[in-house]
Amino acid sequence: MGSPYFISICPWILLQRIRKDIIYLKWANDISQFVRDALLQGYYVSLMVDQFYIPASSAFNKKHRNHELFIYGFDDTTEIFLISDNFQNGKYTKGSCSFTDLNNSYIDLSKTTDLGQELVYLLSFNKYGKFEINIEVLKELLSDYLCSVNSSQKNNLLNQPLKKDWIYGLRCYDHIVTYLNNVKTTENYLDVRPFYVQKNHKSMMIKRLLYLSEIGILNDDENYITQYINIEKISAIVVNLTLKYNITKDKNILNRIAENLGKMSRGESEILPKILKSL
């Protein structure tokens, strides 16, 4: 659904979106002073920067790469910001940059190419946030995942739905296998991100099942949790195999990845109807 929207619907997070022309009225393009003032008021700051100017990034002084930077602290004595992003070849890590580094990396309004670069996000904790689980909606979303339905269509009145020709739910497994076959033919670099997303999804499913068990909604919870733990273990193997393939370019590894994806797909296809019935 897109990260700003996803963050904005969390009841414990207050999200403010500010256009850079408003910031310019007081701080001009000295974004470091705006960020410092925002942090002093208790906000975290997220904005798009050019990692070419961020020393913590593997792109530093090598290539221009625009990406979201999260800023969560500063030190006035050393004029250093505490930051995090996908700094090390895609790996999300913590780091630091100077006030000057941030100003150099700032994409001012005259250079922005899309809305994401025009906005700065402020995040803070909402102490009044509350959440009550809706079992019927949960069941519907699980069913959508099982049947590969685009759930975002349900939000059509409030938000632009995701593209109809995208792939959803369990169909993603077949789509990724098709991608693996293309990589096998073209001998291209294997993009590891889809496999990390899969692993994160299985980890989140385990946490969801644990939560449903904790509040007494899910029956036969230990069996379902154990099965999803096994699926998550396979997803971890898949991630490691993708990394190994990019080093060795051994096509047999692509076959092993596809086999493991099949195990994961069959596992979820078997367990999800039982979970739905149990809810």
Side-chain angles (χ1 to χ4, degrees):
M1 294 181 182
S3 56
Y5 173 75
F6 182 76
I7 292 171
S8 68
I9 63 175
C10 176
W12 293 282
I13 296 178
L14 294 174
L15 177 70
Q16 298 183 50
R17 288 174 278 199
I18 305 174
R19 272 184 56 90
K20 290 180 176 179
D21 53 357
I22 298 298
I23 296 173
Y24 186 85
L25 293 176
K26 179 177 179 181
W27 292 273
N29 283 326
D30 188 359
I31 193 64
S32 65
Q33 288 307 306
F34 168 79
V35 171
R36 180 186 176 279
D37 290 347
L39 289 167
L40 282 173
Q41 293 300 312
Y43 296 103
Y44 297 107
V45 182
S46 177
L47 74 163
M48 196 79 74
V49 301
D50 184 350
Q51 289 190 354
F52 180 87
Y53 302 99
I54 302 295
S57 172
S58 55
F60 179 61
N61 281 342
K62 296 178 182 177
K63 60 181 179 180
H64 293 279
R65 179 175 184 266
N66 296 337
H67 208 264
E68 277 184 325
L69 182 72
F70 185 75
I71 310 173
Y72 60 92
F74 72 94
D75 185 330
D76 259 341
T77 303
T78 57
E79 294 192 342
I80 291 292
F81 285 117
L82 303 178
I83 57 178
S84 58
D85 196 356
N86 299 84
F87 288 133
Q88 297 304 315
N89 299 312
K91 184 178 180 181
Y92 197 85
T93 58
K94 294 181 179 180
S96 63
C97 72
S98 69
F99 289 12
T100 301
D101 292 331
L102 184 64
N103 281 337
N104 289 337
S105 69
Y106 180 63
I107 305 168
D108 67 46
L109 200 56
S110 65
K111 300 174 184 175
T112 58
T113 57
D114 57 51
L115 183 60
Q117 295 178 13
E118 291 181 6
L119 299 176
V120 175
Y121 299 92
L122 302 182
L123 298 88
S124 58
F125 176 67
N126 178 19
K127 64 180 180 181
Y128 302 107
K130 295 180 181 180
F131 174 76
E132 292 183 9
I133 193 165
N134 187 319
I135 296 301
E136 293 307 311
V137 171
L138 174 61
K139 290 166 67 174
E140 188 174 357
L141 291 173
L142 277 175
S143 178
D144 285 352
Y145 178 79
L146 181 62
C147 301
S148 301
V149 174
N150 179 2
S151 296
S152 75
Q153 293 292 333
K154 299 179 177 64
N155 302 319
N156 198 17
L157 291 174
L158 299 176
N159 294 280
Q160 186 69 22
L162 299 178
K163 295 181 180 180
K164 293 181 180 180
D165 56 347
W166 286 4
I167 309 298
Y168 302 90
L170 289 179
R171 278 190 60 208
C172 289
Y173 285 108
D174 294 333
H175 191 68
I176 294 176
V177 170
T178 300
Y179 169 61
L180 290 172
N181 291 331
N182 290 337
V183 170
K184 191 185 302 184
T185 302
T186 59
E187 299 184 354
N188 285 338
Y189 174 83
L190 181 60
D191 189 343
V192 301
R193 291 176 295 179
F195 307 97
Y196 274 103
V197 170
Q198 282 190 323
K199 184 182 183 305
N200 289 340
H201 177 258
K202 310 320 162 199
S203 300
M204 285 304 304
M205 285 299 294
I206 293 169
K207 292 179 180 180
R208 289 164 179 153
L209 293 173
L210 286 169
Y211 175 71
L212 292 173
S213 172
E214 180 183 325
I215 62 178
I217 288 178
L218 187 65
N219 298 317
D220 199 19
D221 50 288
E222 288 188 11
N223 181 38
Y224 300 139
I225 292 168
T226 299
Q227 290 185 58
Y228 251 105
I229 287 174
N230 291 333
I231 294 172
E232 184 198 26
K233 288 179 180 177
I234 298 174
S235 71
I237 292 172
V238 167
V239 167
N240 290 331
L241 286 173
T242 62
L243 299 174
K244 186 175 182 179
Y245 169 78
N246 280 332
I247 294 173
T248 65
K249 292 297 187 293
D250 182 355
K251 293 182 180 180
N252 289 323
I253 294 176
L254 298 177
N255 296 330
R256 291 171 61 191
I257 293 173
E259 290 172 5
N260 281 296
L261 292 176
K263 292 178 184 178
M264 292 167 60
S265 177
R266 290 190 294 272
E268 289 199 284
S269 298
E270 177 184 333
I271 190 176
L272 285 173
K274 296 177 182 178
I275 293 174
L276 279 167
K277 189 175 180 179
S278 179
L279 290 173

